[in-house]
Amino acid sequence: MNIGEIARRAGVSRSTVSYALSGKRPVSDETRRKIQEVIDELGYRPNASARALANGRTSTIGLVFPPAGNHYTGMQLDFIGSVVEAAAAHDYDVLLSPSGVDSDRSFQRLLGERRVDGAILMEIRLQDDRVDHLAELDFPAVAIGRTAHPESGWWVGLDHTALAAACVHHLADLGHRRVAFVNRPEQLLRAGYESAHRGLDGFTKAAAERGLTVRTYCCGDDAASGQVCLERILHDDPATTALVTLNEAALGGLYRGLAQAGRHVPRDFSVTGVVAGRWAETVTPQLTAADVPAEEMGRRAVDLLIERLDHPGAPPRHHLLAPPISLRASTGPAGGTPSA
């Protein structure tokens, strides 16, 4: 079934049907009603490529999201789900591209073949060639994360610096003096991942401000790495009484390592960090954490991208989020009885 058959049955021209479907030119209510009746009768669904040719839109968003390692973590899957759900609310599909750098074939196909109307970029680096390239092309894009110079961009970010610092202050207020920091994998830190760098910066500065003795660790995005990292922490400084983590994928292993070392949480050891609320509540005891609002960030990124598409000349906008720490059961006074 094609536009020509619809035009014949509705008694109008092919161009009129095209205008009615694309909305590029006004069509009378009566004519639109006749065309819609034929479409309903025939069960016609316009081909996506034809629709793109007709109105210049593919109704598809590209999600440029490289997995940090050889798999997506739970938090990364939460972000993917939030973007897909938010895009569907705008009647957009999502095309996932696991592109880490500007030169990736997947990224180049996304742009060269104009498969999408715009893109959302994830796993942002402080110096990110993907962001720079899209800006040079004036290709509509929104980042979830911030580069080192985010002033002129469209983005939704989490203030990892402030959130890691808030975790440190929370532990210091509870009397902890020797604290470890469990970051993302070393290769991500070397690659300039902004969350890893800004989180480390916030932790380090807050610890210095409070006069704490600290050690910092990189950790793989899995439970086994978390357990190994915890063993290193207690080996390097057995007097450590707390840790802050950005690594939700390692969380189960950190807890397991503490249990095997005979450290009770929170009586003997406190754990906190920057983790999605859903994951903070999967461990026992539940994690006191600055909850990553993955659903809100995905929704805001999609909303900003739709705004860019609908208003090409609009000035850049962004959202920097800093959710409060949700007090649960994994932190308590150093060497004392845990608070209620």
Side-chain angles (χ1 to χ4, degrees), residues 71-235:
H71 66 282
Y72 288 106
T73 68
M75 188 183 294
Q76 289 174 321
L77 291 173
D78 282 349
F79 272 111
I80 292 172
S82 71
V83 169
V84 170
E85 186 175 337
H90 290 278
D91 201 23
Y92 270 77
D93 297 322
V94 175
L95 179 63
L96 179 63
S97 171
S99 300
V101 295
D102 183 13
S103 58
D104 280 358
R105 283 185 178 180
S106 176
F107 186 70
Q108 291 302 323
R109 283 197 302 269
L110 206 68
L111 302 180
E113 299 175 16
R114 202 70 180 192
R115 295 183 176 186
V116 297
D117 298 328
I120 293 174
L121 304 180
M122 294 287 301
E123 298 295 295
I124 298 300
R125 297 172 171 84
L126 292 173
Q127 307 296 331
D128 201 304
D129 55 358
R130 301 168 305 166
V131 175
D132 296 338
H133 185 53
L134 292 181
E136 290 172 4
L137 295 176
D138 199 25
F139 188 89
V142 172
I144 298 183
R146 295 174 291 156
T147 64
H149 302 287
E151 301 82 10
S152 61
W154 292 71
W155 50 268
V156 178
L158 196 65
D159 195 341
H160 287 89
T161 304
L163 296 181
C167 291
V168 170
H169 290 304
H170 172 64
L171 294 174
D173 290 344
L174 290 170
H176 294 277
R177 309 302 302 164
R178 308 181 81 86
V179 180
F181 180 66
V182 179
N183 206 336
R184 301 290 302 282
E186 183 178 356
Q187 65 267 28
L188 300 191
L189 198 65
R190 288 199 308 266
Y193 272 56
E194 70 105 4
S195 58
H197 278 271
R198 288 198 166 104
L200 176 60
D201 187 51
F203 174 86
T204 303
K205 289 180 178 178
E209 181 183 330
R210 299 300 293 264
L212 306 185
T213 299
V214 299
R215 292 176 184 267
T216 62
Y217 299 83
C218 289
C219 179
D221 285 334
D222 58 81
S225 296
Q227 184 171 349
V228 171
C229 184
L230 194 283
E231 292 168 357
R232 286 178 54 209
I233 290 170
L234 295 183
H235 175 270

Side-chain angles (χ1 to χ4, degrees), residues 10-59:
V12 298
S13 68
R14 291 171 59 95
S15 60
T16 299
V17 175
S18 178
Y19 295 148
L21 291 174
S22 68
K24 291 183 71 173
R25 292 189 185 180
V27 175
S28 72
D29 291 341
E30 176 63 20
T31 300
R32 188 182 301 278
R33 182 186 59 77
K34 286 196 299 183
I35 293 171
Q36 189 61 52
E37 286 177 352
V38 173
I39 288 174
D40 292 342
E41 178 186 345
L42 299 176
Y44 173 76
R45 294 292 181 270
N47 177 273
S49 298
R51 187 168 61 240
L53 288 172
N55 62 17
R57 291 278 187 96
T58 65
S59 295

